Amino acid sequence: MSRGSSRSVLAAPWLAIFAGLLIGGFGLPAVLGHRAGRSMAGAAPSGVFEGPVPRPTCGPGSRPETARQGEITASDRASGRSSQGYTCNLALVGNYAGEGAEWQLAWHGHCAYYDTRFSGQQTKRGTVVVDAADPAHPRFSTNLTTPAMLDPWETLKVNEARGLLAGVFVGDLQGAAFFDVYDVKGDCSHPKLLSSVPVNGLAHEGGWAPDGLTYYATGLMPGTVTAIDVTDPTAPKPLTTFAASAVIHGLGVSSDGKRLYLAHINEDFLSSVGGNESVTDSNGLGIYDVSGIATRAVNPEVHLLGEVT
């Protein structure tokens, strides 16, 4: 969004995810192609952005968005339309209310996992496990209270390939302490603890390489990334910690595990959260070569390949 445009907010966390996929999964190749000076004319090779996805046809009972995907307009806020929620060909089947959640939702099979804040007042603390085997009546199954699961913030992630749930202790904003790994492939409603080990480096958000052999934990300030070897989930061990070129937040990993995509954010983001305009113009995407980590090189080096700000 340009500075001159009106402010908007994301409709819901899942809309943020889909918006991110649309921007990162479809639009990114075109941006990179333009930056590198390559022409996008002519027949597009496989995997290259070929145009926007058309808007869906929303059937009866839908409450579709009125603007771009993931955007709540000022008029929707003023009229109260935004408080009704947005749906398209979606119907509520069941609901588990719980006591309130923090930032992250992960899932595997018929189970969902969400975290609570370290300083929260819930009676069911840590990471809550919801069993949705009966989708009309999802129910509380258990809560995970090992050190990292007490507040994994935005590090609570499942690797589908290996059926592993993991998180790093954050403690309300940013922390450095424990990395916990659970097996959810056997019984997703009762995750089995495989390991809980100390880690170095600050953690705020995290994510898996697709093969489930490496987990990356990011520190918000300073912009650090810790790569953890989870080849043996009963004995994970840190591989390296490196500094990114900016303050960082979210991340993604390429299918071959050799590229790390980091969300670069302004160094003055704290002032922008307080209502002042950010001025450093470092918001954007950084693409890093982490092939040395993927191949388990001794003392792996990480290189910034390119960025779009």
Side-chain angles (χ1 to χ4, degrees):
M1 182 173 66
S2 65
R3 295 194 180 188
S5 62
S6 61
R7 293 183 180 273
S8 63
V9 295
L10 293 174
W14 64 269
L15 288 177
I17 295 171
F18 281 101
L21 289 174
L22 285 174
I23 295 171
F26 296 105
L28 179 60
V31 173
L32 296 180
H34 175 72
R35 186 181 178 93
R38 296 190 298 268
S39 171
M40 305 303 288
S46 175
V48 174
F49 177 63
E50 298 180 22
V53 176
R55 295 184 68 88
T57 300
C58 299
S62 297
R63 296 192 297 269
E65 296 169 280
T66 59
R68 293 174 297 182
Q69 185 181 49
E71 179 186 12
I72 298 177
T73 64
S75 60
D76 276 9
R77 294 196 295 273
S79 68
R81 170 67 181 83
S82 60
S83 65
Q84 302 171 23
Y86 299 89
T87 64
C88 180
N89 302 325
L90 186 71
L92 179 64
V93 175
N95 178 59
Y96 170 74
E99 302 173 276
E102 194 183 30
W103 299 103
Q104 193 71 54
L105 175 75
W107 58 91
H108 183 76
H110 56 81
C111 301
Y113 315 97
Y114 68 82
D115 54 7
T116 62
R117 194 158 188 163
F118 189 65
S119 60
Q121 302 302 312
Q122 292 92 338
T123 58
K124 296 180 177 65
R125 305 302 302 278
T127 297
V128 174
V129 180
V130 177
D131 185 346
D134 177 0
H137 302 94
R139 62 178 182 83
F140 169 80
S141 177
T142 187
N143 53 316
L144 311 178
T145 57
T146 50
M149 293 297 154
L150 287 174
D151 187 355
W153 200 267
E154 293 168 301
T155 73
L156 187 68
K157 301 292 170 61
V158 166
N159 178 261
E160 290 291 335
R162 301 184 69 192
L164 296 176
L165 170 71
V168 182
F169 178 74
V170 176
D172 282 349
L173 180 62
Q174 184 158 266
F178 285 89
F179 174 65
D180 294 357
V181 182
Y182 283 79
D183 178 3
V184 294
K185 185 178 293 184
D187 181 358
C188 68
S189 63
H190 292 87
K192 177 183 177 183
L193 178 64
L194 299 178
S195 58
S196 181
V197 298
V199 295
N200 296 320
L202 295 174
H204 182 87
E205 188 160 341
W208 290 94
D211 61 11
L213 300 179
T214 308
Y215 182 95
Y216 291 91
T218 72
L220 184 63
M221 293 186 71
T224 58
V225 181
T226 299
I228 303 173
D229 184 350
V230 201
T231 303
D232 179 358
T234 66
K237 55 183 182 294
L239 291 168
T240 187
T241 297
F242 62 91
S245 66
V247 177
I248 57 173
H249 197 249
L251 66 89
V253 186
S254 63
S255 58
D256 62 4
K258 296 182 179 180
R259 297 289 182 268
L260 181 66
Y261 306 96
L262 295 178
H264 289 182
I265 62 178
N266 284 352
E267 288 79 0
D268 62 343
F269 81 99
L270 287 176
S271 64
S272 70
V273 171
N276 299 317
E277 192 69 31
S278 293
V279 297
T280 58
D281 262 349
S282 61
N283 281 334
L285 170 75
I287 303 177
Y288 293 77
D289 179 359
V290 291
S291 56
I293 294 174
T295 59
R296 299 297 188 262
V298 178
N299 298 321
E301 295 184 358
V302 176
H303 304 283
L304 176 64
L305 297 177
E307 59 184 341
V308 178
T309 61

